Amino acid sequence: MTNTEPVIEIAGLDTRFGSHVIHENINLTIYKGEILALVGGSGSGKTTLLRQMLGLTRPARGSVRVLGAERYDGSHEQQRKLRIRSGVLFQQGALFSALTVFDNVALPLREMRTLCEETIRELVMLKLGMVGVEPQHARKMPAELSGGMIKRVALARALAQDPELLFLDEPTAGLDPALSEAFVDLIRSLREELALTVIMVTHDLDTLVALADRVAVLADRHIVALGPIPEIIICDHPFIQAFFGGVRGQNALRALQRS
Amino acid sequence: MSPDSSISNNTWHRLVTTEAGDPLLQLTGSFTLVSFSRSLPAITKQLAELAGQPGLHWDLTTLYQLDYAGAAVLWRAWGRQRPVHLLLRPEQERMFRRLEKSAPLPQKPGRIWFLPISLLGEQFLRLLDHLAGMIALAGQVVLDGLYLLGHPHRIPFREISASLYRTGAQALGITAVVGFLIGIVLSYLTSEQLHLFGADIYIVNILGMSVIRELGPMLAAILVAGRSGSAMTAQLGVMRVTEELDALTVMGIPHSMRLVLPKIIGLGIALPLIVLWTSAVALLGGLVAAELQIGLSIHYALTVLPDTVPIANLWLGLGKGMVCGMTIALIACHFGLRIKPNTESLGAGTTSSVVTSITAVILIDAIFAVAFSHIGIRVVG
């Protein structure tokens, strides 16, 4: 944690789908410059919580404040600025399949209607270079790209508007170990370079250990633990014990101790 | 973003003189994407003018915020190179180093001069390709049908009945409404004209003949082509996008038998029934209108109908319905299976499917009209 300035404040949040309660009285504050990971079992509502921070799913009760503004009650203009200041990497990339790689990254910039086309070209090629996409791939369609490449292009698109906040939904899911390690390194270096605050949802223990400053564990409709990994693992909640106590968890934790 | 950090026209720079007497331009405020407003063209112009001044010193350390968008605007103003005298903070230094290293966008492959010809050729080849594909699919379905005749326990009854329900039962409402209205329109238009000649009772001939032989089958087929054809194409297309088609293949379940054949049989049964229904409702609409308009009794009209319209016309209409139904399903499935896993292809495929099947329906109608021109038409005299 490098700063105590709150970037996202969630207070008293409830989520219900019909009669099914997902979250009950969730309180969570995310500070500027940190990487916070949301973990939890399948169906514990990690992705739902992420979507609520993004303004995609309105909670049944409670407030979500992002960068000091209400996510769900602000003016239209305020919402637009909020969206410009946050970038999202979706799990499957969510690249627009009808557009080339270049146009995918250029789209959010063109949509601003302030920059001229040459500046946009400059910026897009810069962002593609930043995430390690070779210039010859710029004219390709998303269908021609491999999974790792799609994630990189999607990350370039998420970074197109120089956001302060980066949301990652399962950033390394579906990548082979070498690729996920490269992707983790990429996110870490970009975070330092661009002074990003990163909120990620992940299942991958190695990613979690390598990136997260703090971890929020969602289970039984609440955040059952919140803090750096060494503080989390001493908690005796059954989910945490199962999550970190298994062979994979132990291996990942050993790696943490070594580093 | 606080209001004082956004760029207005004058406040973003300060021109001072250094101790050595050189002109020094200090940029102030924020140079970020969020702070740029529509005044950006003016700023770009001013920047370009300033960049043209030789010996001008640039100081970016006084900036409150700089992001890559701001850096790119400056970079372009400087003509993609650093000015000779430039003061940067370390993180700004890193940004401009990235800009220096960034590769240009590769050129688009050049256009060829015979583009119209090659486009036309491509279109023609694509048409042939579609025709061949459709014939192959139809052949596969026939083979599957023969196989199922030998193995009746494998006939996909459940899928056929689902297809019947979706394309038939659920289409009854819309076809009834359209049929009834067309019947009324037709009756209003012709009854007035016939009344002029005192030939009121011939309204039964005109309505019966046109609705049962032509309008009923055509209306039903075109409505179903738009309604069920598009649904079938989209369904198969989404199954391609979500890899459900591949999942079926690896389970050893052929698409043609489980997905295409039930649709073709289902629509082949459903459309003649819809034709019957549409014709009946259209006839009813026409007769109701005739009763209101010229006082022709519906009871009388129904009594003379069998004598004025030979039964062959009904069979012709139903036959057309069956052929059209199977063709619509075949075309819809063909385009559905050809959809590539992206959103644009899904939209284009559905459009082509509907356009092609409506064209095919009208083509079939024309073929029927020529082939059966001597059947079911009574020449008086």
mmCIF file with all atom_site columns, all heavy atoms in Angstrom, chain B residues 182-183 186-187 190 203-219 279 282-283 309 313 320:
data_model
loop_
_atom_site.group_PDB
_atom_site.id
_atom_site.type_symbol
_atom_site.label_atom_id
_atom_site.label_alt_id
_atom_site.label_comp_id
_atom_site.label_asym_id
_atom_site.label_entity_id
_atom_site.label_seq_id
_atom_site.pdbx_PDB_ins_code
_atom_site.Cartn_x
_atom_site.Cartn_y
_atom_site.Cartn_z
_atom_site.occupancy
_atom_site.B_iso_or_equiv
_atom_site.pdbx_formal_charge
_atom_site.auth_seq_id
_atom_site.auth_comp_id
_atom_site.auth_asym_id
_atom_site.auth_atom_id
_atom_site.pdbx_PDB_model_num
ATOM 1   N N   . ILE B 1 182 ? -55.241 -8.761  -45.397 1.00 0.00 ? 182 ILE B N   1
ATOM 2   C CA  . ILE B 1 182 ? -55.061 -8.830  -46.854 1.00 0.00 ? 182 ILE B CA  1
ATOM 3   C C   . ILE B 1 182 ? -56.379 -9.226  -47.515 1.00 0.00 ? 182 ILE B C   1
ATOM 4   O O   . ILE B 1 182 ? -56.771 -8.680  -48.562 1.00 0.00 ? 182 ILE B O   1
ATOM 5   C CB  . ILE B 1 182 ? -53.940 -9.830  -47.203 1.00 0.00 ? 182 ILE B CB  1
ATOM 6   C CG1 . ILE B 1 182 ? -52.591 -9.308  -46.721 1.00 0.00 ? 182 ILE B CG1 1
ATOM 7   C CG2 . ILE B 1 182 ? -53.909 -10.113 -48.703 1.00 0.00 ? 182 ILE B CG2 1
ATOM 8   C CD1 . ILE B 1 182 ? -51.980 -8.220  -47.555 1.00 0.00 ? 182 ILE B CD1 1
ATOM 9   N N   . GLY B 1 183 ? -57.105 -10.161 -46.873 1.00 0.00 ? 183 GLY B N   1
ATOM 10  C CA  . GLY B 1 183 ? -58.408 -10.570 -47.395 1.00 0.00 ? 183 GLY B CA  1
ATOM 11  C C   . GLY B 1 183 ? -59.366 -9.387  -47.504 1.00 0.00 ? 183 GLY B C   1
ATOM 12  O O   . GLY B 1 183 ? -60.021 -9.183  -48.535 1.00 0.00 ? 183 GLY B O   1
ATOM 13  N N   . LEU B 1 186 ? -58.228 -6.971  -50.356 1.00 0.00 ? 186 LEU B N   1
ATOM 14  C CA  . LEU B 1 186 ? -58.521 -7.541  -51.666 1.00 0.00 ? 186 LEU B CA  1
ATOM 15  C C   . LEU B 1 186 ? -60.009 -7.438  -51.986 1.00 0.00 ? 186 LEU B C   1
ATOM 16  O O   . LEU B 1 186 ? -60.418 -7.015  -53.074 1.00 0.00 ? 186 LEU B O   1
ATOM 17  C CB  . LEU B 1 186 ? -58.074 -9.004  -51.665 1.00 0.00 ? 186 LEU B CB  1
ATOM 18  C CG  . LEU B 1 186 ? -58.044 -9.699  -53.013 1.00 0.00 ? 186 LEU B CG  1
ATOM 19  C CD1 . LEU B 1 186 ? -56.953 -9.087  -53.862 1.00 0.00 ? 186 LEU B CD1 1
ATOM 20  C CD2 . LEU B 1 186 ? -57.814 -11.181 -52.824 1.00 0.00 ? 186 LEU B CD2 1
ATOM 21  N N   . SER B 1 187 ? -60.811 -7.775  -50.994 1.00 0.00 ? 187 SER B N   1
ATOM 22  C CA  . SER B 1 187 ? -62.256 -7.785  -51.183 1.00 0.00 ? 187 SER B CA  1
ATOM 23  C C   . SER B 1 187 ? -62.800 -6.375  -51.434 1.00 0.00 ? 187 SER B C   1
ATOM 24  O O   . SER B 1 187 ? -63.586 -6.147  -52.345 1.00 0.00 ? 187 SER B O   1
ATOM 25  C CB  . SER B 1 187 ? -62.902 -8.407  -49.948 1.00 0.00 ? 187 SER B CB  1
ATOM 26  O OG  . SER B 1 187 ? -64.285 -8.338  -50.062 1.00 0.00 ? 187 SER B OG  1
ATOM 27  N N   . THR B 1 190 ? -61.791 -5.216  -55.083 1.00 0.00 ? 190 THR B N   1
ATOM 28  C CA  . THR B 1 190 ? -62.421 -5.863  -56.237 1.00 0.00 ? 190 THR B CA  1
ATOM 29  C C   . THR B 1 190 ? -63.941 -5.729  -56.210 1.00 0.00 ? 190 THR B C   1
ATOM 30  O O   . THR B 1 190 ? -64.564 -5.607  -57.269 1.00 0.00 ? 190 THR B O   1
ATOM 31  C CB  . THR B 1 190 ? -62.042 -7.352  -56.297 1.00 0.00 ? 190 THR B CB  1
ATOM 32  O OG1 . THR B 1 190 ? -62.172 -7.887  -54.985 1.00 0.00 ? 190 THR B OG1 1
ATOM 33  C CG2 . THR B 1 190 ? -60.637 -7.545  -56.782 1.00 0.00 ? 190 THR B CG2 1
ATOM 34  N N   . ILE B 1 203 ? -67.163 -12.122 -56.932 1.00 0.00 ? 203 ILE B N   1
ATOM 35  C CA  . ILE B 1 203 ? -66.192 -11.879 -55.866 1.00 0.00 ? 203 ILE B CA  1
ATOM 36  C C   . ILE B 1 203 ? -65.722 -13.198 -55.262 1.00 0.00 ? 203 ILE B C   1
ATOM 37  O O   . ILE B 1 203 ? -64.567 -13.355 -54.873 1.00 0.00 ? 203 ILE B O   1
ATOM 38  C CB  . ILE B 1 203 ? -66.809 -10.958 -54.776 1.00 0.00 ? 203 ILE B CB  1
ATOM 39  C CG1 . ILE B 1 203 ? -65.769 -10.569 -53.729 1.00 0.00 ? 203 ILE B CG1 1
ATOM 40  C CG2 . ILE B 1 203 ? -67.947 -11.618 -54.044 1.00 0.00 ? 203 ILE B CG2 1
ATOM 41  C CD1 . ILE B 1 203 ? -64.963 -9.425  -54.124 1.00 0.00 ? 203 ILE B CD1 1
ATOM 42  N N   . VAL B 1 204 ? -66.640 -14.183 -55.237 1.00 0.00 ? 204 VAL B N   1
ATOM 43  C CA  . VAL B 1 204 ? -66.266 -15.486 -54.678 1.00 0.00 ? 204 VAL B CA  1
ATOM 44  C C   . VAL B 1 204 ? -65.185 -16.140 -55.530 1.00 0.00 ? 204 VAL B C   1
ATOM 45  O O   . VAL B 1 204 ? -64.202 -16.681 -55.020 1.00 0.00 ? 204 VAL B O   1
ATOM 46  C CB  . VAL B 1 204 ? -67.510 -16.393 -54.585 1.00 0.00 ? 204 VAL B CB  1
ATOM 47  C CG1 . VAL B 1 204 ? -67.143 -17.739 -53.976 1.00 0.00 ? 204 VAL B CG1 1
ATOM 48  C CG2 . VAL B 1 204 ? -68.593 -15.719 -53.771 1.00 0.00 ? 204 VAL B CG2 1
ATOM 49  N N   . ASN B 1 205 ? -65.365 -16.053 -56.850 1.00 0.00 ? 205 ASN B N   1
ATOM 50  C CA  . ASN B 1 205 ? -64.355 -16.630 -57.744 1.00 0.00 ? 205 ASN B CA  1
ATOM 51  C C   . ASN B 1 205 ? -62.994 -15.977 -57.529 1.00 0.00 ? 205 ASN B C   1
ATOM 52  O O   . ASN B 1 205 ? -61.974 -16.647 -57.385 1.00 0.00 ? 205 ASN B O   1
ATOM 53  C CB  . ASN B 1 205 ? -64.750 -16.404 -59.212 1.00 0.00 ? 205 ASN B CB  1
ATOM 54  C CG  . ASN B 1 205 ? -66.018 -17.119 -59.562 1.00 0.00 ? 205 ASN B CG  1
ATOM 55  O OD1 . ASN B 1 205 ? -66.989 -17.019 -58.797 1.00 0.00 ? 205 ASN B OD1 1
ATOM 56  N ND2 . ASN B 1 205 ? -66.030 -17.819 -60.680 1.00 0.00 ? 205 ASN B ND2 1
ATOM 57  N N   . ILE B 1 206 ? -63.017 -14.631 -57.533 1.00 0.00 ? 206 ILE B N   1
ATOM 58  C CA  . ILE B 1 206 ? -61.748 -13.908 -57.445 1.00 0.00 ? 206 ILE B CA  1
ATOM 59  C C   . ILE B 1 206 ? -61.061 -14.177 -56.110 1.00 0.00 ? 206 ILE B C   1
ATOM 60  O O   . ILE B 1 206 ? -59.876 -14.534 -56.055 1.00 0.00 ? 206 ILE B O   1
ATOM 61  C CB  . ILE B 1 206 ? -61.981 -12.402 -57.663 1.00 0.00 ? 206 ILE B CB  1
ATOM 62  C CG1 . ILE B 1 206 ? -62.363 -12.176 -59.123 1.00 0.00 ? 206 ILE B CG1 1
ATOM 63  C CG2 . ILE B 1 206 ? -60.746 -11.609 -57.292 1.00 0.00 ? 206 ILE B CG2 1
ATOM 64  C CD1 . ILE B 1 206 ? -62.561 -10.743 -59.484 1.00 0.00 ? 206 ILE B CD1 1
ATOM 65  N N   . LEU B 1 207 ? -61.836 -14.017 -55.020 1.00 0.00 ? 207 LEU B N   1
ATOM 66  C CA  . LEU B 1 207 ? -61.251 -14.240 -53.690 1.00 0.00 ? 207 LEU B CA  1
ATOM 67  C C   . LEU B 1 207 ? -60.751 -15.670 -53.561 1.00 0.00 ? 207 LEU B C   1
ATOM 68  O O   . LEU B 1 207 ? -59.598 -15.918 -53.175 1.00 0.00 ? 207 LEU B O   1
ATOM 69  C CB  . LEU B 1 207 ? -62.298 -13.985 -52.613 1.00 0.00 ? 207 LEU B CB  1
ATOM 70  C CG  . LEU B 1 207 ? -62.386 -12.584 -52.037 1.00 0.00 ? 207 LEU B CG  1
ATOM 71  C CD1 . LEU B 1 207 ? -63.451 -12.557 -50.952 1.00 0.00 ? 207 LEU B CD1 1
ATOM 72  C CD2 . LEU B 1 207 ? -61.053 -12.163 -51.484 1.00 0.00 ? 207 LEU B CD2 1
ATOM 73  N N   . GLY B 1 208 ? -61.615 -16.617 -53.879 1.00 0.00 ? 208 GLY B N   1
ATOM 74  C CA  . GLY B 1 208 ? -61.274 -18.021 -53.701 1.00 0.00 ? 208 GLY B CA  1
ATOM 75  C C   . GLY B 1 208 ? -60.039 -18.392 -54.491 1.00 0.00 ? 208 GLY B C   1
ATOM 76  O O   . GLY B 1 208 ? -59.081 -18.977 -53.968 1.00 0.00 ? 208 GLY B O   1
ATOM 77  N N   . MET B 1 209 ? -60.039 -18.023 -55.759 1.00 0.00 ? 209 MET B N   1
ATOM 78  C CA  . MET B 1 209 ? -58.927 -18.387 -56.639 1.00 0.00 ? 209 MET B CA  1
ATOM 79  C C   . MET B 1 209 ? -57.608 -17.756 -56.156 1.00 0.00 ? 209 MET B C   1
ATOM 80  O O   . MET B 1 209 ? -56.603 -18.445 -55.967 1.00 0.00 ? 209 MET B O   1
ATOM 81  C CB  . MET B 1 209 ? -59.259 -17.876 -58.043 1.00 0.00 ? 209 MET B CB  1
ATOM 82  C CG  . MET B 1 209 ? -58.590 -18.637 -59.118 1.00 0.00 ? 209 MET B CG  1
ATOM 83  S SD  . MET B 1 209 ? -59.207 -20.327 -59.105 1.00 0.00 ? 209 MET B SD  1
ATOM 84  C CE  . MET B 1 209 ? -58.263 -20.946 -60.455 1.00 0.00 ? 209 MET B CE  1
ATOM 85  N N   . SER B 1 210 ? -57.647 -16.420 -55.942 1.00 0.00 ? 210 SER B N   1
ATOM 86  C CA  . SER B 1 210 ? -56.385 -15.751 -55.631 1.00 0.00 ? 210 SER B CA  1
ATOM 87  C C   . SER B 1 210 ? -55.872 -16.140 -54.249 1.00 0.00 ? 210 SER B C   1
ATOM 88  O O   . SER B 1 210 ? -54.679 -16.372 -54.080 1.00 0.00 ? 210 SER B O   1
ATOM 89  C CB  . SER B 1 210 ? -56.554 -14.240 -55.747 1.00 0.00 ? 210 SER B CB  1
ATOM 90  O OG  . SER B 1 210 ? -57.555 -13.812 -54.858 1.00 0.00 ? 210 SER B OG  1
ATOM 91  N N   . VAL B 1 211 ? -56.793 -16.228 -53.295 1.00 0.00 ? 211 VAL B N   1
ATOM 92  C CA  . VAL B 1 211 ? -56.313 -16.522 -51.943 1.00 0.00 ? 211 VAL B CA  1
ATOM 93  C C   . VAL B 1 211 ? -55.825 -17.959 -51.845 1.00 0.00 ? 211 VAL B C   1
ATOM 94  O O   . VAL B 1 211 ? -54.717 -18.224 -51.367 1.00 0.00 ? 211 VAL B O   1
ATOM 95  C CB  . VAL B 1 211 ? -57.430 -16.246 -50.904 1.00 0.00 ? 211 VAL B CB  1
ATOM 96  C CG1 . VAL B 1 211 ? -57.058 -16.869 -49.567 1.00 0.00 ? 211 VAL B CG1 1
ATOM 97  C CG2 . VAL B 1 211 ? -57.618 -14.753 -50.734 1.00 0.00 ? 211 VAL B CG2 1
ATOM 98  N N   . ILE B 1 212 ? -56.619 -18.913 -52.320 1.00 0.00 ? 212 ILE B N   1
ATOM 99  C CA  . ILE B 1 212 ? -56.258 -20.310 -52.115 1.00 0.00 ? 212 ILE B CA  1
ATOM 100 C C   . ILE B 1 212 ? -55.059 -20.716 -52.974 1.00 0.00 ? 212 ILE B C   1
ATOM 101 O O   . ILE B 1 212 ? -54.161 -21.416 -52.532 1.00 0.00 ? 212 ILE B O   1
ATOM 102 C CB  . ILE B 1 212 ? -57.468 -21.215 -52.406 1.00 0.00 ? 212 ILE B CB  1
ATOM 103 C CG1 . ILE B 1 212 ? -58.530 -20.967 -51.336 1.00 0.00 ? 212 ILE B CG1 1
ATOM 104 C CG2 . ILE B 1 212 ? -57.071 -22.679 -52.414 1.00 0.00 ? 212 ILE B CG2 1
ATOM 105 C CD1 . ILE B 1 212 ? -59.831 -21.652 -51.596 1.00 0.00 ? 212 ILE B CD1 1
ATOM 106 N N   . ARG B 1 213 ? -55.019 -20.204 -54.202 1.00 0.00 ? 213 ARG B N   1
ATOM 107 C CA  . ARG B 1 213 ? -53.957 -20.636 -55.101 1.00 0.00 ? 213 ARG B CA  1
ATOM 108 C C   . ARG B 1 213 ? -52.663 -19.857 -54.898 1.00 0.00 ? 213 ARG B C   1
ATOM 109 O O   . ARG B 1 213 ? -51.568 -20.433 -54.943 1.00 0.00 ? 213 ARG B O   1
ATOM 110 C CB  . ARG B 1 213 ? -54.426 -20.474 -56.554 1.00 0.00 ? 213 ARG B CB  1
ATOM 111 C CG  . ARG B 1 213 ? -53.523 -21.163 -57.561 1.00 0.00 ? 213 ARG B CG  1
ATOM 112 C CD  . ARG B 1 213 ? -54.055 -20.948 -58.957 1.00 0.00 ? 213 ARG B CD  1
ATOM 113 N NE  . ARG B 1 213 ? -53.093 -21.348 -59.945 1.00 0.00 ? 213 ARG B NE  1
ATOM 114 C CZ  . ARG B 1 213 ? -53.186 -22.455 -60.671 1.00 0.00 ? 213 ARG B CZ  1
ATOM 115 N NH1 . ARG B 1 213 ? -54.202 -23.260 -60.485 1.00 0.00 ? 213 ARG B NH1 1
ATOM 116 N NH2 . ARG B 1 213 ? -52.265 -22.759 -61.557 1.00 0.00 ? 213 ARG B NH2 1
ATOM 117 N N   . GLU B 1 214 ? -52.789 -18.533 -54.688 1.00 0.00 ? 214 GLU B N   1
ATOM 118 C CA  . GLU B 1 214 ? -51.574 -17.712 -54.662 1.00 0.00 ? 214 GLU B CA  1
ATOM 119 C C   . GLU B 1 214 ? -51.288 -17.029 -53.321 1.00 0.00 ? 214 GLU B C   1
ATOM 120 O O   . GLU B 1 214 ? -50.251 -17.249 -52.725 1.00 0.00 ? 214 GLU B O   1
ATOM 121 C CB  . GLU B 1 214 ? -51.669 -16.615 -55.738 1.00 0.00 ? 214 GLU B CB  1
ATOM 122 C CG  . GLU B 1 214 ? -51.362 -17.080 -57.136 1.00 0.00 ? 214 GLU B CG  1
ATOM 123 C CD  . GLU B 1 214 ? -49.934 -17.562 -57.256 1.00 0.00 ? 214 GLU B CD  1
ATOM 124 O OE1 . GLU B 1 214 ? -49.064 -16.990 -56.596 1.00 0.00 ? 214 GLU B OE1 1
ATOM 125 O OE2 . GLU B 1 214 ? -49.702 -18.526 -57.992 1.00 0.00 ? 214 GLU B OE2 1
ATOM 126 N N   . LEU B 1 215 ? -52.242 -16.173 -52.908 1.00 0.00 ? 215 LEU B N   1
ATOM 127 C CA  . LEU B 1 215 ? -51.926 -15.276 -51.790 1.00 0.00 ? 215 LEU B CA  1
ATOM 128 C C   . LEU B 1 215 ? -51.690 -16.012 -50.484 1.00 0.00 ? 215 LEU B C   1
ATOM 129 O O   . LEU B 1 215 ? -50.748 -15.701 -49.760 1.00 0.00 ? 215 LEU B O   1
ATOM 130 C CB  . LEU B 1 215 ? -53.042 -14.251 -51.621 1.00 0.00 ? 215 LEU B CB  1
ATOM 131 C CG  . LEU B 1 215 ? -53.033 -13.150 -52.665 1.00 0.00 ? 215 LEU B CG  1
ATOM 132 C CD1 . LEU B 1 215 ? -54.221 -12.228 -52.486 1.00 0.00 ? 215 LEU B CD1 1
ATOM 133 C CD2 . LEU B 1 215 ? -51.747 -12.351 -52.554 1.00 0.00 ? 215 LEU B CD2 1
ATOM 134 N N   . GLY B 1 216 ? -52.532 -16.978 -50.180 1.00 0.00 ? 216 GLY B N   1
ATOM 135 C CA  . GLY B 1 216 ? -52.380 -17.715 -48.921 1.00 0.00 ? 216 GLY B CA  1
ATOM 136 C C   . GLY B 1 216 ? -51.010 -18.348 -48.809 1.00 0.00 ? 216 GLY B C   1
ATOM 137 O O   . GLY B 1 216 ? -50.252 -18.045 -47.863 1.00 0.00 ? 216 GLY B O   1
ATOM 138 N N   . PRO B 1 217 ? -50.629 -19.199 -49.780 1.00 0.00 ? 217 PRO B N   1
ATOM 139 C CA  . PRO B 1 217 ? -49.313 -19.830 -49.699 1.00 0.00 ? 217 PRO B CA  1
ATOM 140 C C   . PRO B 1 217 ? -48.165 -18.815 -49.667 1.00 0.00 ? 217 PRO B C   1
ATOM 141 O O   . PRO B 1 217 ? -47.231 -18.963 -48.873 1.00 0.00 ? 217 PRO B O   1
ATOM 142 C CB  . PRO B 1 217 ? -49.245 -20.676 -50.972 1.00 0.00 ? 217 PRO B CB  1
ATOM 143 C CG  . PRO B 1 217 ? -50.654 -20.917 -51.345 1.00 0.00 ? 217 PRO B CG  1
ATOM 144 C CD  . PRO B 1 217 ? -51.434 -19.750 -50.882 1.00 0.00 ? 217 PRO B CD  1
ATOM 145 N N   . MET B 1 218 ? -48.269 -17.774 -50.500 1.00 0.00 ? 218 MET B N   1
ATOM 146 C CA  . MET B 1 218 ? -47.166 -16.807 -50.562 1.00 0.00 ? 218 MET B CA  1
ATOM 147 C C   . MET B 1 218 ? -47.023 -16.031 -49.263 1.00 0.00 ? 218 MET B C   1
ATOM 148 O O   . MET B 1 218 ? -45.928 -15.853 -48.735 1.00 0.00 ? 218 MET B O   1
ATOM 149 C CB  . MET B 1 218 ? -47.398 -15.823 -51.719 1.00 0.00 ? 218 MET B CB  1
ATOM 150 C CG  . MET B 1 218 ? -46.945 -16.301 -53.058 1.00 0.00 ? 218 MET B CG  1
ATOM 151 S SD  . MET B 1 218 ? -45.220 -16.782 -53.063 1.00 0.00 ? 218 MET B SD  1
ATOM 152 C CE  . MET B 1 218 ? -45.364 -18.504 -52.747 1.00 0.00 ? 218 MET B CE  1
ATOM 153 N N   . LEU B 1 219 ? -48.153 -15.535 -48.744 1.00 0.00 ? 219 LEU B N   1
ATOM 154 C CA  . LEU B 1 219 ? -48.114 -14.787 -47.479 1.00 0.00 ? 219 LEU B CA  1
ATOM 155 C C   . LEU B 1 219 ? -47.508 -15.638 -46.382 1.00 0.00 ? 219 LEU B C   1
ATOM 156 O O   . LEU B 1 219 ? -46.593 -15.212 -45.669 1.00 0.00 ? 219 LEU B O   1
ATOM 157 C CB  . LEU B 1 219 ? -49.539 -14.403 -47.061 1.00 0.00 ? 219 LEU B CB  1
ATOM 158 C CG  . LEU B 1 219 ? -50.098 -13.135 -47.638 1.00 0.00 ? 219 LEU B CG  1
ATOM 159 C CD1 . LEU B 1 219 ? -51.513 -12.930 -47.111 1.00 0.00 ? 219 LEU B CD1 1
ATOM 160 C CD2 . LEU B 1 219 ? -49.222 -11.976 -47.204 1.00 0.00 ? 219 LEU B CD2 1
ATOM 161 N N   . SER B 1 279 ? -54.951 -19.164 -45.576 1.00 0.00 ? 279 SER B N   1
ATOM 162 C CA  . SER B 1 279 ? -55.939 -19.053 -46.648 1.00 0.00 ? 279 SER B CA  1
ATOM 163 C C   . SER B 1 279 ? -57.341 -18.951 -46.058 1.00 0.00 ? 279 SER B C   1
ATOM 164 O O   . SER B 1 279 ? -58.155 -18.126 -46.493 1.00 0.00 ? 279 SER B O   1
ATOM 165 C CB  . SER B 1 279 ? -55.865 -20.274 -47.565 1.00 0.00 ? 279 SER B CB  1
ATOM 166 O OG  . SER B 1 279 ? -54.586 -20.403 -48.088 1.00 0.00 ? 279 SER B OG  1
ATOM 167 N N   . ALA B 1 282 ? -57.827 -15.522 -44.494 1.00 0.00 ? 282 ALA B N   1
ATOM 168 C CA  . ALA B 1 282 ? -57.881 -14.479 -45.514 1.00 0.00 ? 282 ALA B CA  1
ATOM 169 C C   . ALA B 1 282 ? -59.220 -14.521 -46.250 1.00 0.00 ? 282 ALA B C   1
ATOM 170 O O   . ALA B 1 282 ? -59.841 -13.477 -46.522 1.00 0.00 ? 282 ALA B O   1
ATOM 171 C CB  . ALA B 1 282 ? -56.725 -14.645 -46.498 1.00 0.00 ? 282 ALA B CB  1
ATOM 172 N N   . LEU B 1 283 ? -59.673 -15.734 -46.544 1.00 0.00 ? 283 LEU B N   1
ATOM 173 C CA  . LEU B 1 283 ? -60.967 -15.907 -47.206 1.00 0.00 ? 283 LEU B CA  1
ATOM 174 C C   . LEU B 1 283 ? -62.083 -15.350 -46.330 1.00 0.00 ? 283 LEU B C   1
ATOM 175 O O   . LEU B 1 283 ? -62.969 -14.630 -46.802 1.00 0.00 ? 283 LEU B O   1
ATOM 176 C CB  . LEU B 1 283 ? -61.186 -17.406 -47.448 1.00 0.00 ? 283 LEU B CB  1
ATOM 177 C CG  . LEU B 1 283 ? -61.943 -17.816 -48.697 1.00 0.00 ? 283 LEU B CG  1
ATOM 178 C CD1 . LEU B 1 283 ? -61.328 -17.162 -49.921 1.00 0.00 ? 283 LEU B CD1 1
ATOM 179 C CD2 . LEU B 1 283 ? -61.925 -19.328 -48.823 1.00 0.00 ? 283 LEU B CD2 1
ATOM 180 N N   . VAL B 1 309 ? -64.183 -22.739 -57.261 1.00 0.00 ? 309 VAL B N   1
ATOM 181 C CA  . VAL B 1 309 ? -62.744 -22.974 -57.136 1.00 0.00 ? 309 VAL B CA  1
ATOM 182 C C   . VAL B 1 309 ? -62.493 -24.477 -57.070 1.00 0.00 ? 309 VAL B C   1
ATOM 183 O O   . VAL B 1 309 ? -62.789 -25.111 -56.069 1.00 0.00 ? 309 VAL B O   1
ATOM 184 C CB  . VAL B 1 309 ? -62.176 -22.293 -55.869 1.00 0.00 ? 309 VAL B CB  1
ATOM 185 C CG1 . VAL B 1 309 ? -60.673 -22.502 -55.803 1.00 0.00 ? 309 VAL B CG1 1
ATOM 186 C CG2 . VAL B 1 309 ? -62.517 -20.821 -55.865 1.00 0.00 ? 309 VAL B CG2 1
ATOM 187 N N   . ASN B 1 313 ? -56.784 -26.492 -56.737 1.00 0.00 ? 313 ASN B N   1
ATOM 188 C CA  . ASN B 1 313 ? -56.079 -25.283 -56.291 1.00 0.00 ? 313 ASN B CA  1
ATOM 189 C C   . ASN B 1 313 ? -55.603 -25.387 -54.850 1.00 0.00 ? 313 ASN B C   1
ATOM 190 O O   . ASN B 1 313 ? -54.530 -24.902 -54.505 1.00 0.00 ? 313 ASN B O   1
ATOM 191 C CB  . ASN B 1 313 ? -57.000 -24.067 -56.427 1.00 0.00 ? 313 ASN B CB  1
ATOM 192 C CG  . ASN B 1 313 ? -57.178 -23.697 -57.876 1.00 0.00 ? 313 ASN B CG  1
ATOM 193 O OD1 . ASN B 1 313 ? -56.223 -23.383 -58.553 1.00 0.00 ? 313 ASN B OD1 1
ATOM 194 N ND2 . ASN B 1 313 ? -58.420 -23.768 -58.353 1.00 0.00 ? 313 ASN B ND2 1
ATOM 195 N N   . LYS B 1 320 ? -47.214 -26.243 -52.643 1.00 0.00 ? 320 LYS B N   1
ATOM 196 C CA  . LYS B 1 320 ? -46.292 -25.118 -52.616 1.00 0.00 ? 320 LYS B CA  1
ATOM 197 C C   . LYS B 1 320 ? -45.793 -24.875 -51.206 1.00 0.00 ? 320 LYS B C   1
ATOM 198 O O   . LYS B 1 320 ? -44.599 -24.634 -50.983 1.00 0.00 ? 320 LYS B O   1
ATOM 199 C CB  . LYS B 1 320 ? -47.027 -23.848 -53.094 1.00 0.00 ? 320 LYS B CB  1
ATOM 200 C CG  . LYS B 1 320 ? -46.762 -23.474 -54.526 1.00 0.00 ? 320 LYS B CG  1
ATOM 201 C CD  . LYS B 1 320 ? -47.228 -22.072 -54.754 1.00 0.00 ? 320 LYS B CD  1
ATOM 202 C CE  . LYS B 1 320 ? -48.495 -22.062 -55.580 1.00 0.00 ? 320 LYS B CE  1
ATOM 203 N NZ  . LYS B 1 320 ? -48.911 -20.726 -55.985 1.00 0.00 ? 320 LYS B NZ  1
#
